[in-house]
């Protein structure tokens, strides 16, 4: 299983429930409740219920959020440390990423501008992990685990990576890698900006299993 960001939480949780079905888990830029502070989705963010500190604001956010293609690039752009983003990521990759996101929702073309529905449950999970809650217990994982974090990630924190390293006590093997000067979207960036390193780490991990 390979999970990115919130997907990493789901893969990790699945591996705790069904250890006999999973041989390897790769967690990429995954929150794990390693800290109760987060600059963008934790306490004091738009995800928190203003009337109940520490609670996700489900009443305001509803069952899903509407995301346009443009909304996919704000945080990504801010994390790229050069002005010309096209030198960091191929514009064709960015366009394909946006197109596939919109295509994931058959109703996207019914709105102007087109937008896809993103379930708020994923953000609720992320909010609680960002405020220090463990949504699953890494000690229940028995498989081999590769934890990968991008140095410039705006989602996961170094504290999440360290917590996973400490708590994967029953995993068959644990590898932990930080990719220098890489972003949250490392697998979509240009090869020289972390994608080649990420692919190499994953393939080497699987080959050694």
């Amino acid at each position: 299983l390979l999970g990115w960001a919130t997907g990493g939480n789901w893969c990790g949780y699945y591996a705790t429930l069904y250890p006999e079905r999973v041989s390897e888990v790769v967690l990429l830029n995954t929150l794990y409740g390693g800290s109760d502070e987060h600059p963008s989705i934790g306490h004091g963010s738009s995800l928190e219920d203003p009337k109940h500190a520490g609670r996700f604001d489900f009443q305001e956010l509803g069952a899903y959020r509407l995301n346009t293609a443009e909304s996919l690039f704000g945080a990504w752009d801010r994390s790229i440390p050069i002005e010309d983003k096209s030198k960091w990521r191929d514009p064709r990759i960015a366009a394909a990423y946006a197109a596939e996101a919109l295509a994931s929702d058959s109703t996207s073309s019914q709105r102007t501008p087109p937008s896809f529905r993103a379930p708020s449950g994923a953000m609720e999970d992320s909010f609680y992990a960002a405020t220090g809650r463990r949504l699953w217990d890494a000690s229940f994982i028995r498989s081999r685990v590769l934890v990968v974090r991008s140095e410039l990630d705006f989602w996961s924190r170094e504290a999440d990576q360290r917590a996973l390293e400490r708590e994967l006590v029953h995993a068959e093997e644990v590898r932990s890698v930080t990719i220098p000067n890489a972003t949250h979207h490392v697998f979509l960036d240009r090869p020289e900006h972390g994608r080649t390193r990420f692919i190499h780490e994953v393939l080497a991990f699987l080959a050694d299993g």
Side-chain angles (χ1 to χ4, degrees), residues 63-197:
Y64 61 84
R65 297 161 294 114
L66 294 175
N67 291 329
T68 64
E70 184 180 17
S71 71
L72 296 171
F73 298 101
W76 189 1
D77 284 349
R78 290 190 295 273
S79 69
I80 294 175
I82 58 175
E83 185 173 351
D84 186 352
K85 310 308 177 185
S86 67
K87 291 183 179 180
W88 195 277
R89 65 166 182 250
D90 189 327
R92 295 171 297 176
I93 296 295
Y97 175 56
E100 289 300 322
L102 291 172
S104 71
D105 183 351
S106 61
T107 72
S108 62
S109 62
Q110 298 173 15
R111 293 175 289 275
T112 303
S115 59
F116 64 94
R117 295 168 295 178
S120 293
M123 295 306 295
E124 183 176 13
D125 288 351
S126 300
F127 170 75
Y128 288 126
T131 55
R133 296 192 194 182
R134 301 283 200 274
L135 301 180
W136 47 278
D137 188 338
S139 70
F140 283 87
I141 293 180
R142 298 293 190 270
S143 64
R144 302 173 65 239
V145 183
L146 172 63
V147 180
V148 182
R149 184 174 183 275
S150 298
E151 184 182 24
L152 304 180
D153 188 26
F154 58 78
W155 191 257
S156 69
R157 302 152 294 187
E158 186 178 356
D160 296 306
Q161 186 178 24
R162 299 286 87 84
L164 284 165
E165 292 169 0
R166 290 192 307 270
E167 297 182 21
L168 285 163
V169 293
H170 293 126
E172 181 181 342
E173 178 190 355
V174 179
R175 296 188 190 181
S176 184
V177 175
T178 298
I179 302 180
N181 209 37
T183 76
H184 184 67
H185 295 74
V186 58
F187 59 96
L188 295 176
D189 288 326
R190 291 187 181 275
E192 64 271 24
H193 292 302
R195 181 158 61 90
T196 294
R197 171 72 184 279

